[in-house]
């Protein structure tokens, strides 16, 4: 599965309230069915995607992308946090590869993760993810709405 949204286009959103900004982000991300975007009591928007969910006779592995967005209306600023989480049990895949290239500049992680793996019945894991793509869509909408955009490596800064 390739779960990679394309960068935001030239689409412009009018400056406005927090609610109109959140609706604009939801509308833009709706074009990517692999992303689940939900309102939350912990933050303003949660964005999720299951990149891989593989089970084979002697093991399993799940890879999930998570992000959250907190819009601070008085500051007209959005704080964005994201991560990829892997969980698994049992024996690993029998063959394959994983390549992860990234850099951090203090508050933003950029890079790609690509993994393919094989089990007894053939290919069981196959995903490719680019951190910058989802973030750039959200950032484009936020800036087009006249708001500031910041990222955080700490989830608590993007939650209530």
């Amino acid at each position: 599965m390739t779960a990679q949204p394309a960068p935001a286009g030239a689409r412009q959103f009018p400056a406005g309230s927090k609610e109109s900004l959140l609706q604009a982000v939801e509308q833009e991300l709706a074009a990517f069915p692999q992303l689940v975007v939900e309102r939350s009591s912990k933050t303003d928007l949660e964005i999720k995607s299951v990149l891989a969910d593989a089970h084979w006779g002697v093991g399993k592995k799940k890879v999930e992308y998570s992000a959250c967005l907190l819009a601070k209306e008085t500051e007209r600023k959005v704080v964005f946090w994201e991560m990829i989480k892997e969980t698994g049990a049992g024996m690993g895949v029998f063959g394959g590869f994983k390549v992860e290239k990234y850099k951090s500049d203090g508050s933003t992680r950029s890079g790609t993760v690509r993994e393919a793996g094989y089990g007894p019945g053939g290919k069981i894991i196959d995903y490719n993810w680019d951190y910058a793509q989802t973030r750039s869509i959200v950032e484009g909408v936020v800036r087009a709405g006249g708001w500031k955009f910041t990222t955080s490596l700490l989830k608590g800064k993007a939650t209530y």
Side-chain angles (χ1 to χ4, degrees), residues 41-158:
S41 61
K42 299 174 190 170
T43 189
D44 291 319
L45 289 179
E46 288 188 74
I47 304 163
K48 300 175 186 175
S49 183
V50 176
L51 307 180
D53 191 3
H55 301 267
W56 55 100
V58 293
K60 62 183 178 177
K61 182 173 185 175
K62 189 170 189 176
V63 183
E64 300 170 281
Y65 170 80
S66 298
C68 58
L69 171 151
L70 180 66
K72 299 180 177 185
E73 193 160 27
T74 56
E75 301 172 51
R76 294 188 58 82
K77 174 175 126 179
V78 166
V79 180
F80 186 81
W81 168 88
E82 64 188 334
M83 74 168 223
I84 290 179
K85 175 178 143 184
E86 293 184 18
T87 55
M91 293 182 62
V93 294
F94 297 111
F97 68 91
K98 179 177 181 181
V99 177
E100 187 169 359
K101 298 177 186 176
Y102 68 90
K103 68 177 182 170
S104 283
D105 69 5
S107 64
T108 304
R109 181 177 175 145
S110 296
T112 59
V113 180
R114 168 85 173 106
E115 183 174 12
Y118 299 86
K123 190 179 273 188
I124 55 173
I125 293 177
D126 188 11
Y127 70 92
N128 188 8
W129 186 262
D130 184 338
Y131 276 99
Q133 290 182 332
T134 302
R135 184 177 55 247
S136 69
I137 291 169
V138 173
E139 182 176 8
V141 173
V142 168
R143 292 193 188 281
W147 288 53
K148 297 174 197 160
F149 181 86
T150 62
T151 57
S152 174
L153 292 176
L154 300 174
K155 185 176 184 179
K157 292 190 178 212

Side-chain angles (χ1 to χ4, degrees), residues 21-40:
L21 178 75
L22 295 175
Q23 288 176 2
V25 170
E26 288 173 315
Q27 180 182 352
E28 191 71 11
L29 294 178
F32 305 98
Q34 70 274 18
L35 295 175
V36 176
V37 181
E38 300 174 326
R39 299 287 178 120
S40 168

